Amino acid sequence: DTAVSQTPKYLVTQMGNDKSIKCEQNLGHDTMYWYKQDSKKFLKIMFSYNNKELIINETVPNRFSPKSPDKAHLNLHINSLELGDSAVYFCASSQESGRAFFGQGTRLTVV
Amino acid sequence: RKEVEQDPGPFNVPEGATVAFNCTYSNSASQSFFWYRQDCRKEPKLLMSVYSSGNEDGRFTAQLNRASQYISLLIRDSKLSDSATYLCVVTSSGGYNKLIFGAGTRLAVHP
């Protein structure tokens, strides 16, 4: 069974479109994250939720809106996509400090 | 200055070699320290935690020097399968379990 699964794996879309990425974890963890890995391979945190409550919101454009319907799910909706949004987006979950399990990533390409 | 700094490499070493990676972090209040491994086009995975007393896991040894804000990873008897990017990770002091990643050090082990 996949511990952290995110869909879709690949997403190619045009500028200006709205898209969503879904993430689910079956580990029973309280904390979930979204990270962005850009073309330089730098992993940067975007959001973190603890038990459905937003606890970390880094400086991210408000076109990005996370939603956590329950503690096993954390989705990411992106409005008005821009070329600079092209990256790999990773969902992760953790229970203990620093020990995070990552999903396989969603490779977003905006054309 | 980046919060976590690593030499990007690449480190090209023959099988059987010993290789060491270093990492420095800027926030003296950082609480926990880890090494993650990321294979090409895959998600990051936890390799090992790093403790002040130093810790070993098979061929891998991690060290933390809090006074110098310096973390190291030593790999002995390198295998081809060790080829990957090694990410130095610290958690923030804010109590929100925020993982801060270095940009990674790339290792290529050749026959």
Side-chain angles (χ1 to χ4, degrees), chain B residues 18-78:
Chain B
T18 295
V19 61
F21 305 138
N22 303 320
C23 163
T24 57
Y25 60 96
S26 61
N27 186 350
S28 60
S30 297
Q31 295 183 328
S32 305
F33 308 88
F34 304 87
W35 284 100
Y36 276 68
R37 170 192 168 132
Q38 186 172 24
D39 291 284
C40 188
R41 301 179 80 85
K42 298 281 191 183
E43 73 273 21
K45 291 184 179 175
L46 178 65
L47 179 66
M48 59 196 300
S49 304
V50 188
Y51 303 115
S52 297
S53 53
N55 49 297
E56 197 173 298
D57 183 0
R59 298 180 292 109
F60 298 82
T61 301
Q63 291 274 355
L64 165 65
N65 184 323
R66 281 191 185 266
S68 304
Q69 294 177 211
Y70 171 94
I71 304 163
S72 66
L73 177 68
L74 183 78
I75 306 176
R76 288 183 300 279
D77 189 22
S78 299

Side-chain angles (χ1 to χ4, degrees), chain A residues 13-19 61-64 77-85 110:
Chain A
T13 187
Q14 290 189 323
M15 276 173 56
N17 282 351
D18 303 339
K19 290 292 178 186
N62 56 17
R63 297 182 295 104
F64 291 78
H77 187 76
I78 316 170
N79 289 329
S80 304
L81 277 153
E82 300 177 357
L83 293 176
D85 297 333
V110 182

Side-chain angles (χ1 to χ4, degrees), chain A residues 39-87:
Chain A
S39 56
K40 294 181 181 169
K41 308 299 182 192
F42 191 56
L43 261 168
K44 196 165 164 54
I45 191 167
M46 301 173 69
F47 302 103
S48 176
Y49 272 72
N50 185 273
N51 243 324
K52 302 194 296 175
E53 186 184 336
L54 180 66
I55 55 170
I56 295 174
N57 184 349
E58 294 293 292
T59 310
V60 176
N62 56 17
R63 297 182 295 104
F64 291 78
S65 50
K67 280 195 173 52
S68 183
D70 55 63
K71 78 171 194 178
H73 295 84
L74 180 60
N75 304 324
L76 183 65
H77 187 76
I78 316 170
N79 289 329
S80 304
L81 277 153
E82 300 177 357
L83 293 176
D85 297 333
S86 296

Side-chain angles (χ1 to χ4, degrees), chain A residues 3-15:
Chain A
V4 182
S5 59
Q6 53 182 109
T7 55
K9 190 172 179 181
Y10 298 98
L11 187 51
V12 181
T13 187
Q14 290 189 323
M15 276 173 56

